[in-house]
Amino acid sequence: MSLDKTASKPHEQLADHLADSMESVNALIRTRMASRHAPRIPEVTAHLVEAGGKRLRPMLTLATAELCGYEGEHHLRLAATVEFIHTATLLHDDVVDESGQRRGRPTANLLWDNKSSVLVGDYLFSRSFQLMVETENLRVLDILANASATIAEGEVLQLTAAQDLATDEAIYLQVVRGKTAALFSAACQVGGVIAGAQEERVQALYDYGDALGVAFQIVDDLLDYRGDTQSTGKNVGDDFRERKLTLPVIKAVARADGEERAFWSRTIEKGRQEEGDLQHAIALLHKHGALDATREDALAWAERAKTAIRTLPAHPLRQMLTDLADYVVARIN
């Protein structure tokens, strides 16, 4: 999901505030993604890392560390770690999903091959753990290692749940908390931990990242049916074509009659899609109010994120993070 044109752009304010630190993080990323023996590694990594992403997750680590008064340099390593984990999962995801476009550009697996994408993703995971160890903080290592495992677990769960009409909203939330929110929450949590913040503040940052990540993914899933390629960086209807049972469809299936359920079974479970099926699917989502209901869920999670950090000390960064939660859902208002 991209975060683009609105009247207010909190991610840009955050980027401006953190510009010096992000410059250091980017330099660290470039250094650590290098390889003396395998030049394809920096080629593949650079294609994705330098594709215009907003670096939202590493900025969350930098912001939460500063918010909690950190004055060292380990937050730079943690921010780079978070970006490497994110990039590795994207490389793997595009192979699993057989995607051809990411951030408006051809995917690495399309430009090179699946083997290169998987192996370079593995390399970035290894680099991320080297960076974690350099902080000499076992709790940070525990948090990010658990997040990495949870991300993989969420992706594997999605393999079976995404094409099963029995998948309900609880299972969907479990998938989202794994594949997306786990890294958001860990990125925020380690910022507080490295700063030595009080436990209630660390928990508040975790809760903020978790809710923000859930809102982020729900919006992404919603825009797959009501967005456009220019703003989202991916083809509208990709989730439908890839037979992913995302929240809008789960809501529509729950309200479907026999004929509609047969349609979802044919297109999602069995994968027998025909000309005009995407348009019919969108019509069913509108018929049952699934898109509006999904929008309300996203707004509720954004509100939950804002609530989580209300108890933190007053600080310009706290307001930026609050505004960021609103911005994540701005395009569906």
Side-chain angles (χ1 to χ4, degrees), residues 172 213-223 247 294 297-298 301:
Y172 168 84
V214 174
F216 190 96
Q217 187 60 53
I218 291 176
V219 169
D220 199 43
D221 293 342
L222 178 59
L223 290 176
L247 189 57
T294 300
D297 283 0
W301 280 102

Side-chain angles (χ1 to χ4, degrees), residues 70-93:
Y70 184 64
E71 296 179 350
E73 293 188 353
H74 285 322
H75 65 318
L76 304 177
R77 294 180 177 86
L78 294 178
T81 294
V82 167
E83 184 65 12
F84 274 159
I85 293 172
H86 177 55
T87 304
T89 60
L90 294 184
L91 287 167
H92 289 169
D93 288 353

Side-chain angles (χ1 to χ4, degrees), residues 271-328:
R272 298 203 307 266
Q273 297 185 7
E274 303 167 357
E275 186 71 26
D277 280 347
L278 175 60
Q279 290 71 26
H280 185 57
I282 293 173
L284 291 178
L285 297 180
H286 282 292
K287 173 185 176 182
H288 293 293
L291 297 178
D292 288 340
T294 300
R295 172 183 173 275
E296 291 304 313
D297 283 0
L299 293 173
W301 280 102
E303 191 61 37
R304 191 166 173 174
K306 293 190 293 181
T307 299
I309 56 172
R310 261 177 209 149
T311 58
L312 296 180
H315 191 287
L317 278 169
R318 190 187 73 175
Q319 187 58 51
M320 290 181 199
L321 294 177
T322 298
D323 293 342
L324 182 63
D326 284 329
Y327 190 51
V328 162

Side-chain angles (χ1 to χ4, degrees), residues 223-225 235-242 278:
L223 290 176
D224 191 73
Y225 288 99
N235 298 316
V236 173
D238 274 350
D239 288 347
F240 179 78
R241 284 183 285 268
E242 293 167 11
L278 175 60

